[in-house]
Amino acid sequence: MNRSWKRFVSNRGALIGGVVVVFVCLVAMTASLIAPYPIDQRDQKLTPPSAAHWLGTDTNEKDVLTWVIYGSRLSLTAGSLSIVLAIFLGVPLGAAAGYFPGAVDQVIMRSIDVVLAFPAILIALLVMAALAPGWPAVIIAVGLINIPIFARQIRATTLTLRSQDYVTAAVAAGATTRHIFFWSLLPGLVGPLVVLATLGLGSAILEVAGLSFLGISGDPTVPEWGGMLAEAKNDLSTSIWPAIAPGLAISVTILGFNLLGDGLRDALDPRLDHGK
């Protein structure tokens, strides 16, 4: 653990990513305290940045900075819940495919291949057709899109772990499948899963914003970065500030999660021991 921590803190990119992620999370948690205006307050339409409105106002007379701050809540929450869903379904599927080669592996992986054959937007539209448009449907759609990613990575890690001597010894000793999974395989899956979830959060936030931008979130009155971009696109020829702020928020947040995920991957990889 000490070596992993040293590798992490020596990675400047990982530290920058960690700072960005912590900052965005703090903004989301304290939005009601730091936002300059109430969320429902209106002023003038499309005013440029000024002392009163640091990032200007949008076409609906809302303060852009206030909505960017409040939008971090929904963007992070929706992205996180979708990744939780992907973990909840993808990890068991990947672990089962990796631990039970043969028929189980073939059925699971071929099913995942079928899912991957469909474009992500089509999966989202199918979910919207089955459920009423809204944020629950967006979360489910993004979660389903990410299940194959988690399943394939966890399968690859499980295949590696099941060939380790300590797992072979547990099997030879007559340990049950449950005991082997929870006490032999699961500890080895935690590190890759943390890295995958961190990197996946950045992608999930982008996917949530993309679906919201397409207008299938169902509630444009709720602050969210993708929805803000959708509202701002019609006024780009005259006012670009309502689009710049949410666009930068999405980009910086994704960059933060990517840098943090890369740093965690390097820190948790036992093959990268810089102390040797």
Side-chain angles (χ1 to χ4, degrees), residues 32-208:
S32 58
L33 299 176
I34 64 176
Y37 296 98
I39 194 173
D40 56 351
Q41 181 168 326
R42 300 292 188 270
D43 201 334
Q44 296 180 357
K45 179 178 179 179
L46 294 176
T47 59
S50 62
H53 301 282
W54 289 4
L55 299 180
T57 61
D58 63 11
T59 188
N60 292 319
E61 305 174 354
K62 300 172 301 204
D63 179 68
V64 174
L65 178 58
T66 297
W67 270 60
V68 168
I69 291 174
Y70 274 99
S72 63
R73 285 183 170 180
L74 185 52
S75 295
L76 289 177
T77 301
S80 299
L81 291 177
S82 65
I83 291 301
V84 170
L85 176 61
I87 292 174
F88 183 76
L89 297 177
V91 171
L93 288 174
Y99 189 75
F100 299 105
V104 174
D105 183 25
Q106 289 297 318
V107 170
I108 293 176
M109 297 313 297
R110 295 299 77 76
S111 299
I112 289 176
D113 289 340
V114 171
V115 175
L116 290 173
F118 290 90
I121 186 62
L122 180 57
I123 295 176
L125 292 176
L126 291 175
V127 173
M128 297 301 163
L131 304 174
W135 286 110
V138 170
I139 293 171
I140 292 174
V142 175
L144 292 177
I145 292 170
N146 284 279
I147 287 175
I149 299 173
F150 280 83
R152 298 183 86 175
Q153 182 61 48
I154 293 301
R155 172 184 178 270
T157 304
T158 303
L159 286 172
T160 301
L161 293 175
R162 70 186 297 270
S163 63
Q164 299 297 312
D165 292 340
Y166 64 90
V167 177
T168 304
V171 174
T176 63
T177 301
R178 169 187 268 184
H179 183 278
I180 293 172
F181 178 78
F182 284 101
W183 296 100
S184 298
L185 293 179
L186 189 58
L189 294 175
V190 171
L193 183 58
V194 169
V195 174
L196 193 60
T198 305
L199 293 171
L201 265 170
S203 299
I205 290 172
L206 180 61
E207 290 159 358
V208 167

